[in-house]
């Protein structure tokens, strides 16, 4: 049986994760206590001609995000060059100094000083972002990465929610409100610094890196660096789109609550609360749904849910009757409002399912020496997309669209963007198909999945029972597999299209088509040379009687001259008799749901073999042993 791994909550009991988690949690909470309290103070308590209340939120938001654009490239270099634990400790020390200045600003009601601190806290978050996401893959295994990202994402949104609620309550305290905010911000910064002291050492991944201090040339270089890995770069774009999408909703909650839902300011806080809870639940669900792997098949599911519930929010919030401002209790007493809250919660939940696997994919596949700079490129793109979100949403509202109509437009745009991303990065779509197949049609159990390597070249050898064997192996693997497949299978509708998307390598019998035969092995060896995995079905075709057929010699041709490439025997069990097998007199896909839904199947992975120990008969015996 495969090794049992604790769930994501168990990470909170381990030193490699818990101090890091609480450090980032306290930092996110402090950001929001400070920003929200300051915004309310300028909006309600101070009368400034040069900073009217209508502009306060915009100015504070812009100042906070500006460092992401200016300094993300530099922060990525620092995180790749230095020990990440030490860097986080220095950043948290900087936070204490910033909050000391902010405390004086709150006591003296000095708005320029507080605006300067907003910029500096943005710088603090800019420095912390790349080191945060580059730290996790150094400390967590591939099986823990999705859960760890889910915990961080959940923690961040809970911290945002609690920080804004605390900031609002503290600053609203008569007479001593600003002083209470000052004390709270300073205390959170000190607690964050204490937590960071316990983060274990995380050595530099590129100690010889020469820092380029020019943010503009380095930003461009980071974006080019990210673009070298297309799957990673397009995941960066996908995450940035999620921030564009989410920013439209978050920035419009106050006006949506007041003008559309006819609610009090507390109703706006309720919308933020259900949105944050939704993100948190979706982020935590990722580990369970992905079976503790990096499962990018969740991304299309997340995108689908985001669009469905954004579009339904338009219908749910259109035509609500005008009313005096609702209190929270009065708002909840109206049945129609529950649909609005459900849409927001589910929209956010699916956004969590969408974003967490993308973050995990970037961390897993980015080169370790460049990982923090790739994350920095992500932060730059996020900031640019959020700025574009504000501009475009403002333009749509200025053109006469209502807030629900803006939500509808973004929901429809999300569907278009999703389709585009999944067509140019078909791996997402293929993994989604594999996800559906292994969660809804079959109950898929994997034995010893830890033996499938997460890095380096490998040859996977498996029995061939059905037309969906390759899809099932995709679902089991934490990274892409290139399959050597009979050229005839590409002629099958839908499945043939899917295998073309997966870049399967067509192979024909040597006697029938020697050119295709040789080209297939040349292509497969090139894949191995690039450090990727190749799978071959050595029986040469799908079994017609359910029995394991003799293994042919193609695998020997593939590994010839590759003494260091491991060969991993695998066996698919209990697939014979399923809809996709040739059980109906040599024909497959004849009787839909012939074994019902959720019929149990399995994949058993054997220990890797050295090429020198491999022969077709030995391999067949190993696979037969797995099926016994």
């Amino acid at each position: 049986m495969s090794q049992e791994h604790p769930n994501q909550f168990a990470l909170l009991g381990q030193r490699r994760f818990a101090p890091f988690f609480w450090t980032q949690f306290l930092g996110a909470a402090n950001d929001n206590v400070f920003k929200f309290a300051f915004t309310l103070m300028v909006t309600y308590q101070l009368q400034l001609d040069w900073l009217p209340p209508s502009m306060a939120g915009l100015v504070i938001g812009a100042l906070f995000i500006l460092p992401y654009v200016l300094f993300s490239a530099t922060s990525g270099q620092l995180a790749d060059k230095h020990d990440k634990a030490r860097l986080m400790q220095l950043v948290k020390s900087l936070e204490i100094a910033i909050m000391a200045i902010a405390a004086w600003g709150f006591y003296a009601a000095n708005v320029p000083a507080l605006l300067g601190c907003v910029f500096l806290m943005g710088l603090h978050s800019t420095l912390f972002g790349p080191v945060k996401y580059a730290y996790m893959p150094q400390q967590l295994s591939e099986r823990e990465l999705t859960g760890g990202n889910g915990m961080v994402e959940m923690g961040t949104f809970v911290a945002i929610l609690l920080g804004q609620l605390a900031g609002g309550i503290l600053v609203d305290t008569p007479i001593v409100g600003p002083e209470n905010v000052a004390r709270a911000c300073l205390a959170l910064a000190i607690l964050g610094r204490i937590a960071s002291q316990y983060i274990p050492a995380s050595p530099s991944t590129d100690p010889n890196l020469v820092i380029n201090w020019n943010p503009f040339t380095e930003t461009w270089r980071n974006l080019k660096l990210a673009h070298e890995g297309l799957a990673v770069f397009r995941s960066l774009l996908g995450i940035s789109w999620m921030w564009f999408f989410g920013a439209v909703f978050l920035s419009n909650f106050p006006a949506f609550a007041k003008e559309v839902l006819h609610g009090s300011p507390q109703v706006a806080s309720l919308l933020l609360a259900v949105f944050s809870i939704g993100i948190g639940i979706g982020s935590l669900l990722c580990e369970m749904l992905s079976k503790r792997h990096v499962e990018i098949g969740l991304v299309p599911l997340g995108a689908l849910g985001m669009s469905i519930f954004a579009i339904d929010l338009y219908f749910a919030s259109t035509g609500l009757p005008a009313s005096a401002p609702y209190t929270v209790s009065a708002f909840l007493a109206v049945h129609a409002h529950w649909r609005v809250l459900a849409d927001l919660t589910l929209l956010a939940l699916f956004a969590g399912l969408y974003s967490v696997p993308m973050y995990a994919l970037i961390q897993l596949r980015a080169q370790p020496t460049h990982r923090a700079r790739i994350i920095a490129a992500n932060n730059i793109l996020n900031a640019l997309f959020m700025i574009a979100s504000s501009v475009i949403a403002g333009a749509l509202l200025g053109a006469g669209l209502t807030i629900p109509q803006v939500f509808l437009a973004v929901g429809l745009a999300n569907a278009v963007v999703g389709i585009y991303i999944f067509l140019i990065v078909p791996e997402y779509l293929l993994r989604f198909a594999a996800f559906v197949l292994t969660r809804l049609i079959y109950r898929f159990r994997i034995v010893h999945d830890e033996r499938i390597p997460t890095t380096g070249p490998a040859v996977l050898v498996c029995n061939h029972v059905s037309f969906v064997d390759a899809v099932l192996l995709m679902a089991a693997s934490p990274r892409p597999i290139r399959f050597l497949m009979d050229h005839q299978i590409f002629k099958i509708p839908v499945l043939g299209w899917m295998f073309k998307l997966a870049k399967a390598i067509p192979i024909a019998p040597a006697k029938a088509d020697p050119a295709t035969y040789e080209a297939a092995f040349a292509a497969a060896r090139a894949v191995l040379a690039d450090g990727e995995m190749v799978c071959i079905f050595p029986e040469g075709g799908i079994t017609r009687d359910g029995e394991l057929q003799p293994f042919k010699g193609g695998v020997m041709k593939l590994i010839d001259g590759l003494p260091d490439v491991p060969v991993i025997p695998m066996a698919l069990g209990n697939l014979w008799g399923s809809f996709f097998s040739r059980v109906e007199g040599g024909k497959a896909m004849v009787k839909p749901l012939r074994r019902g839904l959720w019929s149990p199947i399995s994949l058993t992975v054997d220990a890797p073999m050295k090429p020198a120990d491999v022969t077709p008969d030995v391999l067949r015996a190993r696979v037969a042993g797995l099926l016994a």
Side-chain angles (χ1 to χ4, degrees):
M1 292 294 292
S2 62
Q3 179 185 355
E4 287 296 322
H5 289 252
N7 65 33
Q8 57 200 335
F9 293 101
L11 291 172
L12 289 176
Q14 300 178 27
R15 187 184 166 194
R16 63 200 172 108
F17 186 79
F20 159 75
F21 175 85
W22 291 114
T23 299
Q24 68 86 29
F25 181 91
L26 290 164
N30 206 9
D31 276 345
N32 286 278
V33 169
F34 170 64
K35 283 193 301 175
F36 199 65
F38 179 36
T39 303
L40 292 180
M41 191 171 85
V42 173
T43 303
Y44 292 104
Q45 298 177 8
L46 302 175
Q47 302 299 320
L48 301 171
D49 294 334
W50 58 275
L51 188 61
S54 60
M55 292 295 294
L58 181 63
V59 169
I60 289 169
L63 273 175
F64 187 80
I65 208 167
L66 183 59
Y68 281 91
V69 179
L70 295 178
F71 303 119
S72 283
T74 305
S75 66
Q77 294 178 90
L78 292 171
D80 277 333
K81 184 175 177 65
H82 298 289
D83 182 290
K84 293 166 186 60
R86 182 64 185 139
L87 202 56
M88 284 189 266
Q89 290 155 9
L90 290 171
V91 171
K92 301 316 283 185
S93 296
L94 172 64
E95 184 183 2
I96 294 174
I98 296 168
M99 286 298 103
I101 299 169
W104 172 79
F106 277 116
Y107 272 98
N110 189 312
V111 173
L114 290 170
L115 286 172
C117 289
V118 169
F119 179 84
L120 291 173
M121 282 303 284
L123 175 62
H124 155 271
S125 297
T126 301
L127 292 170
F128 195 78
V131 71
K132 173 175 77 172
Y133 285 109
Y135 169 85
M136 281 192 282
Q138 277 189 261
Q139 297 290 341
L140 305 182
S141 70
E142 184 273 333
R143 287 175 63 88
E144 297 168 321
L145 208 49
T146 294
N149 275 279
M151 290 293 289
V152 168
E153 196 86 350
M154 176 276 298
T156 300
F157 276 88
V158 170
I160 290 170
L161 174 61
L162 295 178
Q164 295 202 0
L165 291 175
I169 292 167
L170 289 171
V171 79
D172 204 34
T173 309
I175 303 173
V176 294
E179 289 87 344
N180 286 345
V181 175
R183 294 189 192 100
C185 289
L186 202 50
L188 285 170
I190 292 169
L191 287 172
R193 178 61 182 85
I194 293 170
S196 72
Q197 194 61 37
Y198 295 94
I199 298 173
S202 218
S204 165
T205 51
D206 192 0
N208 298 318
L209 176 67
V210 178
I211 303 289
N212 173 15
W213 295 100
N214 184 324
F216 303 105
T217 58
E218 187 58 28
T219 294
W220 181 246
R221 186 185 299 171
N222 277 7
L223 292 173
K224 286 175 66 179
L225 189 65
H227 193 264
E228 289 175 7
L230 280 181
V232 169
F233 182 71
R234 285 163 178 165
S235 297
L236 300 184
L237 293 177
I239 289 171
S240 296
W241 170 256
M242 192 275 293
W243 282 105
F244 178 105
F245 180 91
V248 170
F249 291 89
L250 290 169
S251 63
N252 281 289
F253 277 166
F256 181 60
K258 179 181 178 182
E259 298 170 13
V260 179
L261 303 179
H262 313 293
S264 64
Q266 287 71 36
V267 171
S269 297
L270 175 65
L271 300 183
L272 174 66
V274 298
F275 194 87
S276 300
I277 290 167
I279 285 275
I281 294 171
S283 300
L284 293 178
L285 279 175
C286 285
E287 185 188 59
M288 182 187 76
L289 292 173
S290 66
K291 297 185 178 178
R292 298 182 188 150
H293 279 299
V294 176
E295 181 49 85
I296 61 173
L298 291 173
V299 176
L301 179 65
L304 180 65
M306 287 161 66
S307 282
I308 287 172
F309 292 107
I311 292 167
D312 192 66
L313 182 61
Y314 162 76
F315 293 106
S317 57
T318 300
L320 295 174
S323 166
Y326 289 106
T327 61
V328 170
S329 58
F331 178 81
L332 293 174
V334 178
H335 178 73
H337 294 158
W338 282 91
R339 181 178 168 188
V340 171
L341 294 177
D343 281 333
L344 279 174
T345 304
L346 290 168
L347 179 155
L349 184 152
F350 280 97
L353 293 180
Y354 175 92
S355 62
V356 168
M358 280 197 175
Y359 275 116
L361 174 77
I362 292 166
Q363 292 165 332
L364 186 66
R365 298 206 191 159
Q367 292 182 36
T369 54
H370 298 79
R371 191 181 283 131
R373 279 169 282 174
I374 299 296
I375 298 297
N378 179 57
N379 289 344
I380 296 163
L381 289 170
N382 289 351
L384 294 174
F385 271 66
M386 289 171 72
I387 293 167
S389 168
S390 298
V391 172
I392 292 171
L396 291 174
L397 292 169
L401 270 67
T402 63
I403 292 174
Q405 287 171 338
V406 171
F407 291 167
L408 174 65
V410 173
L412 293 171
N414 183 68
V416 173
V417 169
I419 291 169
Y420 174 71
I421 289 175
F422 305 139
L423 287 177
I424 63 171
V425 190
E427 188 183 349
Y428 285 112
L429 209 54
L430 294 167
R431 292 297 290 251
F432 178 61
F435 177 83
V436 170
L437 189 69
T438 55
R439 305 304 196 279
L440 299 182
I441 297 177
Y442 297 121
R443 276 182 293 143
F444 190 38
R445 184 172 65 97
I446 309 170
V447 182
H448 288 308
D449 60 342
E450 75 279 359
R451 290 173 172 170
I452 302 174
T454 56
T455 58
V459 175
L460 310 180
V461 174
C462 191
N463 59 323
H464 208 359
V465 193
S466 77
F467 284 100
V468 293
D469 293 352
V471 180
L472 295 171
L473 295 180
M474 281 182 213
S477 173
R479 60 195 180 112
I481 303 171
R482 295 286 297 279
F483 294 90
L484 277 163
M485 303 190 73
D486 185 345
H487 67 298
Q488 298 291 343
I489 206 167
F490 291 88
K491 299 176 183 177
I492 298 173
V494 183
L495 282 177
W497 173 75
M498 285 182 60
F499 293 139
K500 285 177 184 175
L501 282 181
K503 298 182 180 177
I505 302 167
I507 186 169
K511 292 180 181 178
D513 190 345
T516 299
Y517 179 80
E518 291 296 335
F521 282 102
R525 290 171 68 87
V527 170
L528 293 171
D530 286 339
E532 301 300 328
M533 295 195 296
V534 171
C535 179
I536 186 169
F537 299 103
E539 293 167 275
I542 298 171
T543 179
R544 291 176 176 270
D545 59 7
E547 298 299 320
L548 188 65
Q549 306 301 306
F551 279 16
K552 298 181 178 179
V555 66
M556 304 307 297
K557 181 176 178 67
L558 181 58
I559 62 176
D560 183 37
L562 300 174
D564 299 322
V565 176
V567 178
I568 303 171
M570 312 168 82
L572 284 163
N574 206 33
L575 258 177
W576 177 251
S578 73
F579 172 65
F580 296 103
S581 66
R582 294 186 181 274
V583 69
E584 302 290 343
K587 295 181 180 180
M589 295 175 278
V590 174
K591 295 181 180 178
L593 302 179
R594 67 186 316 277
R595 290 203 318 198
L597 290 174
W598 279 20
S599 68
I601 60 172
S602 66
L603 174 71
T604 306
V605 185
D606 205 349
M609 298 176 64
K610 295 179 180 178
D613 299 331
V614 171
T615 68
D617 289 340
V618 168
L619 270 181
R620 186 183 184 281
R622 293 281 289 265
V623 173
L626 298 175
L627 291 169

